[in-house]
Structures are given as C-alpha cells and as structure tokens.
Amino acid sequence: MIFAQIFFYLFAAILIVSSVMVVTSRNPVHSVLFLILCFFNAAALFLIAGAEFLAFILIIVYVGAVAVLFLFVVMMLDIDFSELRAGVQRYAPIGAVVGIILLLELVMAVGGWKIAPAAAGLRMTPMPFGISNTDAIGRILYTQYAFLFETSSVVLMVAMIGAIVLTHRERTRSKSQNIARQNARQPADALTMMDVPIGVGVKQLGILRPDAARTDPALTAPGPKVTLPEGDAVAVTHKPGAH
Amino acid sequence: MGFFSTILGQIILAALETFAVLVPLLMIVAYATYGERRVMAAMQLRKGPNVVGPFGLWQPFADAIKMVMKETIVPTGANRVLFLIAPLLTFGLAMVAWAVVPTGNHLAVANINVGILYLFAISSLGVYGIIIAGWSSNSKYAFLGALRSAAQMVSYEVSIGFVMVSVLLCVGSLNLNDIVRAQNGLWFFIPLFPMFIVFFISGLAECNRVPFDLAEGESEIVAGFMVEYSSMTYAMFFLGEYANMTLMSAMTSILFLGGWMSPVPFLAFIPGPIWLILKICFVMFVFIWVRATFPRFRYDQLMRLGWKVFLPLSIGWMVLTACALEIFGWLPHG
C-alpha cells in the first residue's frame, strides 16, 4: 500500500501546484492547460480511492468536453496583457473581499461538518462486495437519489434551452441549404429537353465547323454577324420558377 | 512464476506486455500508410509505391528515414514548448489507448472494469493534440484547422457516446472483455445495424478522415493544424493519426464485429489476436475505400449531419433498444 500513498501525495502535489498555476499564469491559454492538468490529477486521486467510474466520467466530461470549449473560447479572445494588468490595482480590494468571504464560508462549512455515525462503517467498505463501482453508483443513483438525479437533469436542460433561446436568431437572408428540398428535386423540375434538328444553328455559330468560316462570306465579313434565331440552338434552359 | 509475483517481476511483465501490444501496433500503423497508398492507387488505376523493396514493401521505412533526416523547424512566434508537446500528445494518446484493448479472452494489458469509458476518454482527448498544435503554431491556417477540428470532434463524440450506450445496454457491463463475450453467437452489428453505421461514420469524423477532413482541408487551409510541422514532429502527427484510425477500427471491431471471436465455430482454433487484426484491417480498408470514393463535406453539412441526423437517431435508437430489451425481458443482469 506504500505505493498508493506515494502516488497519492505525488498527484495531490501536482494538483495543488497546477491549480496555483491556473491563477498565476499570465497567458490564459496556459491557465486552461493547467486546469486540464488539475482535472487529470483529480481523476487520478479518484482512481486511487477506487472510484474508477467517477475518474473517467471526470475526464470525459470536464477534460473531453468542457475544457475543450473553454480552450476554444480563450484562444479566440483577443487579449491585451497590459490592459489586463492595468485594472489590477483598482479591482484588487473587491477581489480580496470576495476571496475572504468565500474562505470564511468554507471555514464555517468545514467547521460545522459532522460525520454521521453510519458513514464510518461505510468508509471501510464503500460498496457491497462483488459489485463493480459503476454498478454500485447506478444502484444508488437510480433508486435512492432518483428524484435529485432527475431534478438536476431538468436544471441542466433548462440551462441548455436558455442558452439556445438567448443566442438563436432566425436568419431570413442566409442562403442555407435545405437538404430535404434538394433531395426531392427531380430533373424534370429544372431541365427542359429540347428537340433540336440536326445541323440547324451550327452554321450560324461558326464554332463547330471552322471550314465553314472560310467558305461562307457571311461569316468572314467584319462586324456583328452571329445572330441566333429564337429557339434555334437552345437545348437546355432553366424553367422559370424551378428554384 | 515466483519471480513474476515480485514487484520487479511485475514491472518487467508489464513492460513485456506493453511491447507485445505496441510492436504489432506500430507495424500495423507503418503498413497502414503503405496499404493506404497502394489501395488508393488501385482504386484510381495507378500503381502506388512499388519501387523500394519487393512490391514497395520497404516504403514505410524509407519514409521514416527520410522524415528523421529532415530539419525540425519551429516557426518564429510559436509557443515552443506547446508546439513540441502537441505531436507527442497526439502520438502518445493514440498508443496509451491500446492498454485496454482485449486481443483474446482476458488477454489485455489492463483488463479494467470501465474499459469502454477509458477508450472513450482517450479518444475524446485526441482533440487536444490538434487544438494545441493549431494554437501554438501562431499561424492563421493552423488556427482555423484547430477550431474546425475542435468543434467537429466535440460534436461527433456525442453521437459516439450514445451509440456506445446502446451497445452497453445489450451487454450490461463496461468491461471490454464482457462486451466481446456478450456477442457470442450474434455480433452486435446485426441487431444494432443503424448504430453500426452511425458509429463508423462518426469514427471517420473523429479521426478527421475523408470525407470529414476539414481540419486538414488541404485545398482550403493548406494542411490545417499541421501546416507548420516538419520532420519528426510531422511524422508524430502522421503516425498518431494512423494509430487513431487503427484504434477506431479496433473499437468498431470490439463493439460490433465480435472483437477477437471467430465468425464461425470451426475456425475458433485460430488465436484471438489474429481475428482482431483481420477485423481491424477490414475496417481500415473501408476507411481507405471511403477516402478514395467520397468528396469532402462542407462545414455546415458536417455540423448538420452530426447534430441534426446522428444525435436524434442515436438517442432514438438507444430508447428503442432499452424498450425492446425491457419488453422482451432480454435485459442482462450483470
């Protein structure tokens, strides 16, 4: 078990150092990367405690999704460091007050902490023997705490819908693709097939038969000479209103 | 076995097991690059690399030597440390994931209880290599590639997660070995066929493969996040990408194609690792086939497919699976 202790102190030390670095590093991107390191070490502590399900959920949710979006946003920010540092003197007292209040609250919460007598027995065997960690969490989450679980999911749902409602706007002028309409489109909606008599219209264009230009005086004459009779060589046309 | 129960013996054993997984993996990755070029060439009526060695079989090694000999360039204004960490991260994560892949009955470096969560976690970390590379390069193209990739991978992970949940509902365990063993007799790609397709396509997107390779998009943003990389750092990305592709193929095999099990009982004497490798090769062939066949998606189409098609489909199928299991009483009680 000495190994578990060594690793516990190793991960805990890295966790504390990197969480200090989150606050102190000057570059916000570095802050987010240190935050990710924090998450990893917290997950490692969970693993040492035997809570492998929580450890991997922590990595998947916080590192794999939340921190990616954090990083995404922070990287896109255009940050002027001198401007950031300019306000420090002015806002430091407010920050200090908030920090002290939080610290006092924490002290009060931890000071008033009482461990239930039944919990001491649970600590020795955190879950029933022969059941995996995931199983144990599932059994308690969907039975005893089902109401709280569902409530928290509803809260998250409301937050998600709120975010969508706040940011969504109907863009009437954007030319977005309507895939269903595109797939439903038939050739007959867009094309008209014309029956063109062979040889008609070819001579007037003078393109397909270069020889004709040499023999036909009408084509060699200067000035505008190619005039197409209406409906003569037009094979494919867009039917109005097909779009 | 006295020696192997001591601490030193355990460490040596773990190292040997790791080598036994990594060496074949790196060989597969090396020959995946060769295989991809040959298969694509055959599909496009070309010859492909056929000069170095018989049938061009030494081509991967020639490429490797060429890469090593080149100069590593770190652009001015790049964040040097992160610039060098990014390819290591991509490559390292792709290797680390293989610790839990079962290559036979209880034959994995680490047979952990939450194996599938481990794989999911590692594959969702893959985006960091790309995003850090894009940011630290201090280049517009690289940054655009990184942003595209981040949004894309986060979107497709969601549907991959739901597909995994519907497989897990049928298994009743998060252990990869149990997942393979639950497919004894009926591989999951038959009852869960739509999910198999969704998983495969999301896998393409997760690996940034054609037709979802917008992170690279060499015709629009040059090579995306790896535009500033050269020499070994580039080779790391390259290998990492193929290792990720191999990993995604292995995940497809484990979740849907019966992992290390043989398709018919009378071929069961062939060892599990060979079956797994054959299945991985098959899935990778389809990856290459897709690459040679389909044009790239536009970005809005990619997002639409992920959020408006795959997400509702996979959630719906998950609910359907749960209902069917409950109604017919097929729920596994693990």
Side-chain angles (χ1 to χ4, degrees):
Chain A
M1 275 293 100
I2 186 77
F3 275 106
Q5 283 186 6
I6 291 172
F7 278 111
F8 172 79
Y9 284 113
L10 179 71
F11 292 133
I14 299 175
L15 175 61
I16 291 170
V17 170
S18 57
S19 51
V20 170
M21 294 299 285
V22 173
V23 186
T24 54
S25 55
R26 301 217 159 150
N27 192 330
V29 172
H30 291 177
S31 284
V32 177
L33 292 176
F34 277 117
L35 185 66
I36 292 163
L37 189 62
C38 280
F39 286 142
F40 263 109
N41 285 285
L45 292 182
F46 269 132
L47 270 186
I48 290 175
E52 69 261 14
F53 182 76
L54 285 181
F56 284 112
I57 289 295
L58 181 73
I59 291 185
I60 291 170
V61 174
Y62 282 93
V63 183
V66 174
V68 171
L69 297 179
F70 259 28
L71 205 56
F72 198 97
V73 172
V74 166
M75 279 178 178
M76 295 219 280
L77 293 177
D78 185 24
I79 293 160
D80 186 1
F81 291 108
S82 55
E83 201 176 297
L84 261 185
R85 246 167 275 148
V88 168
Q89 297 285 327
R90 241 172 64 209
Y91 296 119
I94 303 170
V97 168
V98 172
I100 288 167
I101 291 173
L102 271 179
L103 185 70
L104 283 178
E105 279 177 355
L106 268 179
V107 167
M108 277 155 71
V110 174
W113 196 291
K114 280 201 196 75
I115 294 169
L122 274 177
R123 200 158 44 170
M124 302 305 286
T125 49
M127 53 192 176
F129 183 74
I131 290 183
S132 80
N133 192 272
T134 321
D135 228 338
I137 290 177
R139 273 167 206 226
I140 201 163
L141 199 60
Y142 291 103
T143 54
Q144 195 174 341
Y145 296 113
F147 176 71
L148 292 174
F149 180 70
E150 295 295 334
T151 312
S152 59
S153 72
V154 169
V155 170
L156 285 175
M157 186 78 169
V158 169
M160 189 179 85
I161 294 173
I164 293 172
V165 167
L166 286 178
T167 54
H168 184 73
R169 59 201 158 97
E170 200 70 54
R171 271 173 294 187
T172 44
R173 292 182 60 200
S174 86
K175 292 177 179 171
S176 65
Q177 184 182 19
N178 187 339
I179 292 196
R181 228 175 94 197
Q182 200 174 345
N183 283 341
R185 207 165 123 119
Q186 298 293 321
D189 300 338
L191 294 175
T192 314
M193 301 309 286
M194 304 292 283
D195 216 0
V196 183
I198 294 165
V200 176
V202 172
K203 191 178 161 192
Q204 285 91 336
L205 280 168
I207 294 164
L208 293 179
R209 288 188 198 163
D211 299 349
R214 238 180 291 141
T215 51
D216 196 338
L219 285 169
T220 48
K225 59 211 178 256
V226 180
T227 47
L228 279 177
E230 201 170 335
D232 194 20
V234 183
V236 175
T237 139
H238 282 278
K239 192 195 267 183
H243 286 282
Chain B
M1 291 302 281
F3 173 68
F4 285 118
S5 52
T6 62
I7 288 172
L8 183 68
Q10 287 282 315
I11 293 172
I12 291 175
L13 201 62
L16 286 178
E17 281 172 355
T18 313
F19 273 112
V21 173
L22 285 191
V23 171
L25 170 65
L26 286 174
M27 289 305 285
I28 290 181
V29 167
Y31 277 95
T33 63
Y34 167 79
E36 171 151 41
R37 288 158 77 183
R38 287 294 283 208
V39 172
M40 290 248 307
M43 284 174 182
Q44 296 164 349
L45 301 181
R46 295 182 285 117
K47 278 206 162 57
N50 62 349
V51 176
V52 192
F55 308 106
L57 275 174
W58 306 134
Q59 185 68 40
F61 300 102
D63 286 342
I65 292 168
K66 186 196 81 173
M67 287 281 190
V68 175
M69 303 304 262
K70 290 201 169 186
E71 184 193 353
T72 306
I73 298 166
V74 181
T76 341
N79 189 321
R80 201 182 171 84
V81 177
L82 288 181
F83 186 79
L84 295 176
I85 283 179
L88 283 176
L89 197 66
T90 304
F91 183 70
L93 283 174
M95 298 286 120
V96 161
W98 284 84
V100 295
V101 173
T103 52
N105 198 2
H106 292 292
L107 201 63
V109 176
N111 185 13
I112 59 175
N113 271 334
V114 285
I116 190 79
L117 282 185
Y118 177 84
L119 277 186
F120 190 54
I122 296 288
S123 75
S124 68
L125 293 182
V127 67
Y128 280 108
I130 293 172
I131 205 170
I132 292 175
W135 182 75
S136 65
S137 298
N138 196 22
S139 152
K140 297 260 187 310
Y141 289 124
F143 190 58
L144 281 174
L147 289 186
R148 284 181 175 196
S149 172
Q152 171 182 340
M153 286 170 93
V154 170
S155 313
Y156 279 84
E157 249 158 42
V158 182
S159 51
I160 285 192
F162 280 112
V163 172
M164 280 178 176
V165 170
S166 41
V167 170
L168 294 178
L169 278 173
C170 303
V171 178
S173 164
L174 297 177
N175 186 312
L176 288 173
N177 207 57
D178 292 348
I179 292 173
V180 175
R181 284 161 64 92
Q183 300 179 55
N184 196 4
L186 182 67
W187 293 358
F188 282 149
F189 82 96
I190 299 170
L192 300 174
F193 189 73
M195 289 298 96
F196 174 57
I197 300 297
V198 169
F199 187 83
F200 179 76
I201 297 175
S202 304
L204 286 174
E206 190 77 2
C207 296
N208 287 319
R209 289 282 298 178
V210 177
F212 307 107
D213 62 337
L214 290 124
E216 283 160 44
E218 64 279 324
S219 52
E220 315 146 28
I221 49 172
V222 200
F225 61 94
M226 24 185 188
V227 68
E228 302 291 349
Y229 282 88
S230 56
S231 178
M232 275 314 283
T233 51
Y234 174 76
M236 286 287 206
F237 266 124
F238 199 67
L239 290 179
E241 199 163 295
Y242 277 87
N244 271 331
M245 207 169 113
T246 321
L247 180 68
M248 201 43 86
S249 312
M251 276 164 84
T252 314
S253 317
I254 289 166
L255 289 176
F256 292 102
L257 300 175
W260 38 262
M261 287 199 296
S262 86
V264 278
F266 65 87
L267 285 175
F269 65 91
I270 298 175
I274 293 180
W275 280 119
L276 185 66
I277 289 174
L278 284 177
K279 285 169 188 172
I280 289 174
C281 289
F282 170 72
V283 180
M284 283 179 78
F285 173 76
V286 183
F287 269 57
I288 296 165
W289 190 4
V290 167
R291 180 176 173 190
T293 315
F294 289 106
R296 187 178 300 138
F297 265 55
R298 219 171 49 207
Y299 204 75
D300 61 316
Q301 293 171 331
L302 171 93
M303 284 295 155
R304 177 189 163 272
L305 186 69
W307 289 107
K308 292 189 181 171
V309 179
F310 282 178
L311 186 62
L313 186 63
S314 52
I315 292 180
W317 193 269
M318 186 188 77
V319 173
L320 197 71
T321 312
C323 291
L325 290 174
E326 178 65 34
I327 289 167
F328 295 110
W330 292 334
L331 270 177
H333 298 285

